[in-house]
Amino acid sequence: MFLSSCCFSIIAFRPMMAPDADGKVLLQLDKLARPGGETVAPVHITGNRSPQDHPDPSGAASESAQNSVSATQWVRITTAAALREEPKPTSPEMLEAIPDEWFPVLREEDHWYEVRLGDSQSGWVPEQGTETTKLTENRQVISIQADAPIFSGPDVSFGPVRTARPNHVYVPNRVSGQWIELQGEGETASWIKASDAIWTHGEPASIAAFNESGEGVDGNLQAAKGPLEGKTIVVDPGHGGIDSGARGKIEDVYERDVNLSVARALKHKLQAAGAKVLMTRTSNDQTVTLQSRVDLSNRSGADLFVSIHQNMFVQDPSVSGTITFYSGPESAAPAKAIEEAALASLGSREEKEHVEQDQLYVLRNNRQPAVLIEGCFLSNPKELANSITTGYQERLASGVFDGIRTYLAG
């Protein structure tokens, strides 16, 4: 076992004392301001800042946001760029935008544009490599490559359920990892790979629609019972608020930001599989005590508690890979399943899985089966740079999801 936990090497600008996952008191970074968790309400470019993610634990989007758009200024991507959660180049990616994609502008700040992504999210794109214009068309849509597969969940394991029709555009709901959820009135969610979509603007007459019965232009949308139906899972994005967790040295990356991005992607996969998902925090403004995280798990009687972290070992920057921790014997099986699946998904090292028994606070005080996974080492230059990409978020979330499904559904 590595002696350094995910926050043993924190450098503080404004010192504050807070416990780490072991319950030890460490010096922590002060709060980094960022949006809260309210639904994005499209506004004029001079309006107030819009938040990043929907607060509703169910992930439901606002029904009126698309129809009440007041932003008429759009940004066109001229050079490939990453849309990020905050207006800084070390913030986690939300989407990889390509030339000739269009996004409605919500506001401008320090040479960054905040743009809308579906009904419930917004992201930031740097001013460089873009151009802006005002359009009378203010409906955000995406065009999809003809015959591209549409899935019932944000993971290839769900399998394609139909294909996109040519000459149609679709209304985006939200992004998750490297997936985009489509709006529709069928009972089953519809997800496409982000690489198969182009963000643009369009007229409602050209939008693929679904009727109330679930029969749409793309075939039958009736819901099937998910493999995790009836299961409750607590997803715990480690750290948050004044507790920033580990911090990269080469690049100014905060562990709490990476943890939440991965946790959101995991949440959407679990929900699509039928699970009830409880998040211990939904924004990076939230400071949540270790006891509060444990209390949520114990009160809910969850089938599994999964804490998402990133690691740090400054003594040897070459150290890399995942480590999964558990406390009691009842948690050994899910720890092994999650570590094996995450390792296979990430492909971060050739050695066998690394599962450790340790009495971390959120594990030893949990009455439910509980694991804590360290996805990568922010002290490793390659893994640090990779940690803020959608590719890493997707692979880690997919691996943890596969491990959970193996443990709970067999």
Side-chain angles (χ1 to χ4, degrees):
M1 169 185 174
F2 295 109
L3 297 179
S4 174
S5 77
C6 56
C7 50
F8 276 13
S9 304
I10 297 171
I11 300 173
F13 289 145
R14 285 187 284 173
M16 299 195 70
M17 304 305 289
D20 73 347
D22 289 308
K24 298 177 182 178
V25 176
L26 299 178
L27 201 61
Q28 305 289 343
L29 285 176
D30 200 355
K31 183 176 181 180
L32 175 67
R34 62 167 296 172
E38 298 178 0
T39 304
V40 172
V43 295
H44 290 289
I45 190 170
T46 57
N48 294 327
R49 183 170 185 168
S50 297
Q52 299 297 320
D53 201 27
H54 201 288
D56 184 350
S58 68
S62 166
E63 296 179 357
S64 60
Q66 280 282 2
N67 294 325
S68 62
V69 173
S70 58
T72 56
Q73 187 153 347
W74 289 69
V75 62
R76 183 176 75 87
I77 306 298
T78 58
T79 303
L83 272 65
R84 301 185 182 275
E85 295 191 4
E86 295 182 39
K88 61 177 185 177
T90 56
S91 177
E93 294 177 0
M94 298 182 69
L95 184 75
E96 298 175 13
I98 63 175
D100 291 325
E101 288 193 303
W102 293 76
F103 301 91
V105 176
L106 298 172
R107 61 173 295 191
E108 183 179 0
E109 179 181 305
D110 298 330
H111 303 291
W112 288 76
Y113 293 111
E114 185 180 23
V115 299
R116 185 158 56 79
L117 291 171
D119 264 6
S120 59
Q121 292 171 306
S122 67
W124 292 85
V125 63
E127 181 182 67
Q128 186 176 5
T130 67
E131 59 183 37
T132 59
T133 186
K134 288 191 174 182
L135 300 174
T136 54
E137 172 59 71
N138 58 13
R139 180 77 169 186
Q140 184 177 42
V141 297
I142 55 176
S143 62
I144 306 176
Q145 179 180 334
D147 297 326
I150 297 178
F151 298 77
S152 61
D155 197 271
V156 293
S157 62
F158 287 96
V161 293
R162 55 194 181 281
T163 58
R165 286 173 57 93
N167 303 318
H168 280 78
V169 292
Y170 296 77
V171 179
N173 186 24
R174 60 185 172 187
V175 298
S176 177
Q178 293 183 315
W179 295 81
I180 302 170
E181 185 183 36
L182 308 176
Q183 283 191 14
E185 297 184 8
E187 295 180 8
T188 298
S190 303
W191 294 83
I192 60 164
K193 295 179 179 178
S195 57
D196 287 336
I198 300 294
W199 293 74
T200 184
H201 48 88
E203 294 290 343
S206 65
I207 295 174
F210 307 99
N211 63 32
E212 293 180 356
S213 70
E215 289 287 343
V217 295
D218 299 299
N220 195 306
L221 303 180
Q222 297 300 320
K225 184 176 180 180
L228 298 180
E229 194 78 30
K231 303 296 185 182
T232 298
I233 300 166
V234 174
V235 176
D236 173 40
H239 307 285
I242 62 174
D243 175 11
S244 65
R247 179 187 174 194
K249 292 182 177 294
I250 300 174
E251 296 185 59
D252 198 23
V253 175
Y254 291 84
E255 182 196 352
R256 67 174 176 205
D257 298 355
V258 179
N259 295 343
L260 184 57
S261 295
V262 174
R264 285 171 175 160
L266 174 60
K267 177 188 75 170
H268 297 147
K269 294 176 188 295
L270 292 170
Q271 288 177 329
K276 177 182 178 181
V277 181
L278 303 176
M279 297 277 285
T280 60
R281 66 180 177 95
T282 56
S283 83
N284 284 319
D285 285 337
Q286 291 176 272
T287 300
V288 183
T289 66
L290 299 177
Q291 187 59 50
S292 295
R293 300 168 195 261
V294 171
D295 288 344
L296 176 63
S297 178
N298 289 336
R299 285 197 309 267
S300 68
D303 295 279
L304 185 63
F305 172 96
V306 179
S307 189
I308 306 295
H309 284 255
Q310 315 305 314
N311 218 328
M312 178 71 81
F313 190 60
V314 295
Q315 292 89 337
D316 185 357
S318 69
V319 174
S320 65
T322 64
I323 307 176
T324 302
F325 296 97
Y326 71 98
S327 177
E330 73 284 349
S331 300
K336 181 175 174 60
I338 288 173
E339 172 68 12
E340 288 180 347
L343 187 60
S345 183
L346 288 167
S348 55
R349 66 171 179 226
E350 296 180 359
E351 64 184 85
K352 65 180 181 180
E353 68 272 5
H354 202 111
V355 179
E356 296 282 352
Q357 187 171 17
D358 203 328
Q359 298 303 307
L360 303 175
Y361 191 94
V362 296
L363 303 183
R364 72 175 185 263
N365 291 289
N366 222 310
R367 295 195 298 268
Q368 320 309 128
V371 303
L372 184 152
I373 184 168
E374 305 269 11
C376 74
F377 280 79
L378 300 184
S379 48
N380 180 290
K382 183 177 179 180
E383 291 197 340
L384 173 64
N386 192 45
S387 69
I388 59 175
T389 65
T390 57
Y392 172 74
Q393 297 169 26
E394 177 61 32
R395 288 191 295 273
L396 180 55
S398 182
V400 175
F401 170 67
D402 286 345
I404 292 173
R405 187 175 52 185
T406 297
Y407 167 66
L408 291 177

